[in-house]
């Protein structure tokens, strides 16, 4: 089965940056739509961004627009989430998720049950 693996989490100061990476230890991600989700303690899992298999279709949660950028390298089994101007409210465990569909619809991309394959998450902490 497809097994996404996240990396790049850590500690950042407010206003700082981190870049998360998602790859697969088994099958390539190149043919899957990929989403980034996050879950903070006491809160529900929420969609952060999603990118189609081709990279042409991209969606963001409103609170990260203008700060986060999702991208992928064509035929290289990797998806990135560049996070700039990080704020304390961005603190969460970030998950990479994949769906066999080449693209997700506007109505379901940010619902975690729409995805079939999940990584174990990487911690992002934003604090002074």
């Amino acid at each position: 089965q497809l097994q996404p693996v996240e990396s790049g989490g850590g500690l950042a100061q407010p206003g700082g940056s981190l870049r998360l990476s998602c790859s697969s230890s088994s099958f390539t991600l190149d043919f899957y739509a990929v989403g980034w989700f996050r879950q903070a303690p006491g809160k529900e899992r929420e969609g952060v961004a999603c990118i189609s298999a081709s990279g042409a279709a991209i969606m963001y949660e409103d609170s990260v627009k203008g700060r986060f950028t999702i991208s992928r390298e064509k035929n290289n089994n990797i998806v990135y989430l560049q996070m700039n101007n990080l704020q304390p409210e961005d603190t969460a465990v970030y998950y990479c998720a994949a769906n066999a569909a080449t693209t997700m619809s506007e109505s379901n991309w940010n619902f975690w049950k729409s995805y079939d394959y999940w990584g174990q998450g990487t911690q992002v902490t934003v604090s002074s």
Side-chain angles (χ1 to χ4, degrees), residues 17-39:
S17 298
L18 288 171
R19 188 179 73 169
L20 305 183
S21 299
C22 177
S23 188
S24 175
S25 60
S26 54
F27 297 98
T28 180
L29 289 171
D30 293 341
F31 307 111
Y32 294 79
V34 174
W36 284 98
F37 286 75
R38 64 186 180 186
Q39 187 164 19

Side-chain angles (χ1 to χ4, degrees), residues 95-112:
Y95 299 90
C96 177
N99 192 294
T102 56
T103 186
M104 304 297 291
S105 70
E106 184 177 341
S107 63
N108 71 359
W109 75 268
N110 57 344
F111 293 97
W112 66 271

